[in-house]
Amino acid sequence: MQSSILNQLAAAAPAGAPPAWIQYLPFVAMAAIFWFLILRPQMKQQKEHKNKLSALKKGDEVLTGGGLVGKIVKIDDNYADVQLAQGVVVKAVKSTIVDVIPPAGSKPAND
Protein backbone atom coordinates (compact mmCIF):
# COMPACT_ATOMS: atom_id res chain seq x y z
CA MET A 1 0.00 0.00 0.00
CA GLN A 2 2.75 2.36 0.91
CA SER A 3 4.59 1.79 -2.34
CA SER A 4 1.51 2.61 -4.40
CA ILE A 5 1.17 5.98 -2.62
CA LEU A 6 4.83 6.72 -3.26
CA ASN A 7 4.39 5.79 -6.93
CA GLN A 8 1.42 8.14 -7.21
CA LEU A 9 3.34 10.99 -5.56
CA ALA A 10 6.32 10.43 -7.82
CA ALA A 11 4.07 10.50 -10.89
CA ALA A 12 2.40 13.73 -9.73
CA ALA A 13 5.70 15.52 -9.10
CA PRO A 14 6.87 17.92 -11.81
CA ALA A 15 9.24 16.43 -14.35
CA GLY A 16 11.81 19.19 -13.94
CA ALA A 17 12.31 22.93 -14.12
CA PRO A 18 11.92 24.58 -17.53
CA PRO A 19 15.05 25.86 -19.24
CA ALA A 20 16.39 29.19 -17.97
CA TRP A 21 15.76 31.04 -21.26
CA ILE A 22 12.02 30.36 -20.99
CA GLN A 23 11.95 32.06 -17.60
CA TYR A 24 13.54 35.20 -19.07
CA LEU A 25 11.38 35.23 -22.21
CA PRO A 26 8.65 37.54 -20.76
CA PHE A 27 11.27 40.13 -19.79
CA VAL A 28 12.80 40.04 -23.25
CA ALA A 29 9.35 40.40 -24.81
CA MET A 30 8.54 43.41 -22.60
CA ALA A 31 11.85 45.05 -23.49
CA ALA A 32 11.16 44.53 -27.21
CA ILE A 33 7.67 45.99 -26.91
CA PHE A 34 9.03 48.97 -24.94
CA TRP A 35 11.67 49.54 -27.62
CA PHE A 36 9.31 49.41 -30.61
CA LEU A 37 6.38 51.28 -29.08
CA ILE A 38 8.12 53.98 -27.05
CA LEU A 39 11.85 54.47 -27.63
CA ARG A 40 12.09 54.06 -31.40
CA PRO A 41 9.29 56.55 -32.26
CA GLN A 42 10.67 59.05 -29.76
CA MET A 43 14.18 58.83 -31.27
CA LYS A 44 12.70 59.30 -34.74
CA GLN A 45 10.78 62.39 -33.60
CA GLN A 46 13.90 63.86 -31.97
CA LYS A 47 15.89 63.30 -35.17
CA GLU A 48 13.22 65.04 -37.26
CA HIS A 49 13.16 68.01 -34.83
CA LYS A 50 16.95 68.27 -34.93
CA ASN A 51 16.90 68.28 -38.75
CA LYS A 52 14.17 70.93 -38.71
CA LEU A 53 16.23 73.14 -36.40
CA SER A 54 19.37 72.77 -38.48
CA ALA A 55 17.44 73.82 -41.61
CA LEU A 56 16.18 77.09 -40.08
CA LYS A 57 17.11 80.22 -41.98
CA LYS A 58 16.44 83.94 -41.91
CA GLY A 59 12.89 84.75 -42.96
CA ASP A 60 11.27 81.49 -41.78
CA GLU A 61 8.07 81.87 -39.82
CA VAL A 62 8.28 79.78 -36.65
CA LEU A 63 6.23 78.71 -33.64
CA THR A 64 8.02 78.75 -30.29
CA GLY A 65 7.38 76.50 -27.32
CA GLY A 66 5.63 79.38 -25.56
CA GLY A 67 3.09 79.68 -28.36
CA LEU A 68 4.57 82.79 -29.98
CA VAL A 69 4.57 83.03 -33.77
CA GLY A 70 7.15 85.18 -35.49
CA LYS A 71 9.67 85.53 -38.26
CA ILE A 72 13.36 84.76 -37.81
CA VAL A 73 15.49 87.90 -38.19
CA LYS A 74 18.86 86.49 -37.14
CA ILE A 75 20.01 83.00 -36.26
CA ASP A 76 23.20 81.50 -34.83
CA ASP A 77 24.19 78.17 -33.26
CA ASN A 78 22.18 78.47 -30.03
CA TYR A 79 19.82 81.43 -30.41
CA ALA A 80 17.37 82.88 -32.89
CA ASP A 81 16.11 86.46 -32.95
CA VAL A 82 12.40 86.24 -33.68
CA GLN A 83 10.38 89.27 -34.80
CA LEU A 84 6.91 89.04 -33.25
CA ALA A 85 5.62 92.40 -34.52
CA GLN A 86 7.04 95.50 -36.16
CA GLY A 87 9.88 96.60 -33.88
CA VAL A 88 9.41 93.74 -31.38
CA VAL A 89 12.31 91.29 -31.58
CA VAL A 90 12.92 88.63 -28.94
CA LYS A 91 15.84 86.27 -28.53
CA ALA A 92 14.71 82.64 -28.32
CA VAL A 93 16.75 79.57 -27.55
CA LYS A 94 16.89 77.63 -30.79
CA SER A 95 15.81 74.34 -29.21
CA THR A 96 12.52 75.90 -28.03
CA ILE A 97 11.38 76.44 -31.61
CA VAL A 98 8.67 73.83 -32.09
CA ASP A 99 7.68 74.13 -35.73
CA VAL A 100 8.28 75.99 -38.96
CA ILE A 101 5.06 77.44 -40.37
CA PRO A 102 4.72 77.20 -44.15
CA PRO A 103 4.13 80.45 -46.06
CA ALA A 104 0.47 81.56 -46.31
CA GLY A 105 0.39 81.33 -50.10
CA SER A 106 1.64 77.75 -50.30
CA LYS A 107 -0.72 74.94 -51.21
CA PRO A 108 -1.26 72.13 -48.64
CA ALA A 109 0.36 68.83 -49.51
CA ASN A 110 -2.88 66.82 -49.48
CA ASP A 111 -4.83 69.01 -51.94
Side-chain angles (χ1 to χ4, degrees), residues 24-70:
Y24 294 115
L25 193 61
F27 297 111
V28 172
M30 285 189 294
I33 290 170
F34 185 76
W35 172 263
F36 282 106
L37 293 180
I38 296 174
L39 292 178
R40 220 173 124 234
Q42 183 180 11
M43 290 185 331
K44 182 180 177 185
Q45 188 177 29
Q46 286 175 344
K47 185 178 179 182
E48 289 172 358
H49 186 255
K50 185 178 177 184
N51 290 338
K52 197 181 289 189
L53 289 181
S54 65
L56 287 175
K57 60 188 181 302
K58 183 178 175 181
D60 283 345
E61 195 167 343
V62 295
L63 173 67
T64 65
L68 301 174
V69 177

Side-chain angles (χ1 to χ4, degrees), residues 72-91:
I72 293 180
V73 178
K74 179 183 159 193
I75 194 162
D76 60 14
D77 291 338
N78 297 321
Y79 298 100
D81 290 346
V82 180
Q83 181 180 7
L84 302 176
Q86 189 67 28
V88 180
V89 178
V90 296
K91 183 173 276 209

Side-chain angles (χ1 to χ4, degrees), residues 5 13 32 54 94 102 105 108:
I5 293 175
S54 65
K94 196 173 172 182

